[in-house]
Every structure is written in C-alpha cells, then in structure tokens.
C-alpha cells in the first residue's frame, strides 16, 4: 500500500469515527449535545482535525442524514420484499418506516427535521436521499391508482408516514393505536 493510499484510508476512518460518534451522542443526549468541541474530545483528535473533515455541525448532521437514508432505504426494501402482494408490501413498508423513525430518533431528525445542508427533491439531491425515496416509490408507485402520478402519490403517503412518526414521538398520538393507523393508511390512502 502506498503512503497516499494509507493516508486516504486513515482520513476515511477518521471521518467515519466522527459520524459514528456524532450519531451516538445525538441518540444518547440529543443534537444540542453534539458540538465540535465535545466531538473532538470524544474522538481524541483536535478541533482543527475535525474541521479538516467537516466545516461544522451542519455538515456532520448532513453526513448522519446520508447514512440514515441508506439504512432506511435498506430497511424499507427488506420489509417490502419479504411481503407477498401489493397490500402486504405497502403495510410492511409503512411499518418499517415507522419502526426506523422510532428506533433512530436522532438520525430521523437529521434526515427530516434539522438543517444538514442537503438538497431535497432537486437535481443536486445526494444519491442516498434519492435512493431512500426510490425505495418508497418502488412499492407505492404500483398502488398509486389510475391517473395518479406515482411520485406524487409516494410523496403524499410519505408525508402521512412522517406525520405519524413525528406526532407519535411527540406524544400527540397514543402509541397503542399505531397498527390501526397503518391499516387505515393502507386501506384508505392506498385503497388496498
């Protein structure tokens, strides 16, 4: 291995350590606890080293969001592919999405609530975000209905899922009715 390759590998490992540490800290204590000083202390590098990878917290949030988008896409695809038939796929997708949001609140916030400097629904949207939307579209597009644009239907269904995830987490919706909400969403919105 050349010196250049080793330095690139070490740089990638440091960057990965920063993202993992930021994510762990945010999941444990919330995003307000994630500061460059605290991260530098936890990863045992100086703040200038941290700034050589990320210009600040906003970019770190963006990196966590991209990682989360990849994980969410994989979870949604795995759940949908294990289900048999359109209705079961949509219900499995909805459950997987809501489960991801519940199990990863800081990542979910990085994806959809916080400013990570990422473009959404634009030409320059990063690939992991496009792929996460594509993971939803793959199952939802097939049930959009006649005359309904699959992308628009997917956006609407996603907005409903996001509302359920956000309102449940905030204690505005009782968790005991979560499954009934999924069934209602699938039956009425997807008309399955």
């Amino acid at each position: 291995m050349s010196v250049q390759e080793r330095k690139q590998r070490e740089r990638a490992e440091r960057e990965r350590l920063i993202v993992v540490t930021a994510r762990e800290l945010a999941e444990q204590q919330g995003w307000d606890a994630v500061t460059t000083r605290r991260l530098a202390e936890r990863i045992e590098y100086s703040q200038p080293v941290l700034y050589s990878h990320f210009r600040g917290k906003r970019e770190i949030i963006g990196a966590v969001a991209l990682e989360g988008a990849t994980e969410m896409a994989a979870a949604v695809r795995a759940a949908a592919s294990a289900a048999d038939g359109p209705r079961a796929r949509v219900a499995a997708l909805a459950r997987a999405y809501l489960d991801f949001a519940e199990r990863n609140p800081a990542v979910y916030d990085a994806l959809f609530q916080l400013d990570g400097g990422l473009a959404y629904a634009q030409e320059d949207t990063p690939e992991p975000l496009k792929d996460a939307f594509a993971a939803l579209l793959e199952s939802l597009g097939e049930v959009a209905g006649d005359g309904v644009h699959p992308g628009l239907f997917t956006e609407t269904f996603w907005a409903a899922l996001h509302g359920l995830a956000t309102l449940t987490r905030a204690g505005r919706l009782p968790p005991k009715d979560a499954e009934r909400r999924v069934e209602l969403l699938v039956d009425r919105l997807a008309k399955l």
Side-chain angles (χ1 to χ4, degrees):
M1 174 183 305
S2 73
V3 172
Q4 181 67 16
E5 290 171 331
R6 182 182 54 78
K7 285 183 179 184
Q8 287 175 339
R9 186 188 77 231
E10 289 171 354
R11 180 171 177 74
E13 288 171 1
R14 270 193 316 272
E15 190 166 303
R16 177 82 189 119
L17 178 62
I18 294 167
V19 171
V20 166
T21 305
R23 182 176 174 167
E24 288 172 355
L25 187 56
E27 291 292 1
Q28 293 166 359
Q29 299 177 31
W31 278 105
D32 287 342
V34 179
T35 64
T36 53
R37 192 182 85 200
R38 186 174 278 166
L39 282 175
E41 289 170 3
R42 286 212 175 182
I43 65 172
E44 298 178 344
Y45 283 99
S46 67
Q47 282 184 300
V49 169
L50 193 138
Y51 282 116
S52 74
H53 291 274
F54 298 100
R55 286 184 287 205
K57 183 175 176 176
R58 182 177 185 224
E59 284 189 6
I60 294 168
I61 290 169
V64 170
L66 293 177
E67 182 178 273
T70 299
E71 292 171 10
M72 187 177 70
V76 165
R77 282 190 176 107
S81 69
D84 188 30
R87 186 188 192 293
R89 276 193 293 281
V90 172
L93 173 149
R95 287 184 198 100
Y97 182 97
L98 294 171
D99 182 58
F100 180 87
E102 182 182 349
R103 285 184 297 105
N104 304 284
V107 173
Y108 193 81
D109 286 349
L111 268 165
F112 302 120
Q113 304 288 95
L114 302 173
D115 179 9
L118 303 173
Y120 285 79
Q122 298 173 23
E123 285 297 316
D124 61 342
T125 297
E127 203 53 46
L129 298 179
K130 288 179 182 179
D131 188 54
F133 185 78
L136 298 174
L137 182 62
E138 289 162 10
S139 292
L140 295 171
E142 73 176 310
V143 300
D146 295 335
V148 178
H149 187 277
L152 186 60
F153 179 77
T154 300
E155 289 170 350
T156 304
F157 198 93
W158 170 34
L161 288 175
H162 177 69
L164 290 175
T166 304
L167 291 170
T168 300
R169 186 167 137 205
R172 304 299 195 271
L173 297 176
K176 68 178 177 64
D177 294 324
E179 184 58 29
R180 289 180 39 201
R181 286 187 200 94
V182 167
E183 293 299 322
L184 184 62
L185 188 61
V186 171
D187 289 341
R188 300 299 170 101
L189 188 58
K191 296 181 182 179
L192 293 171

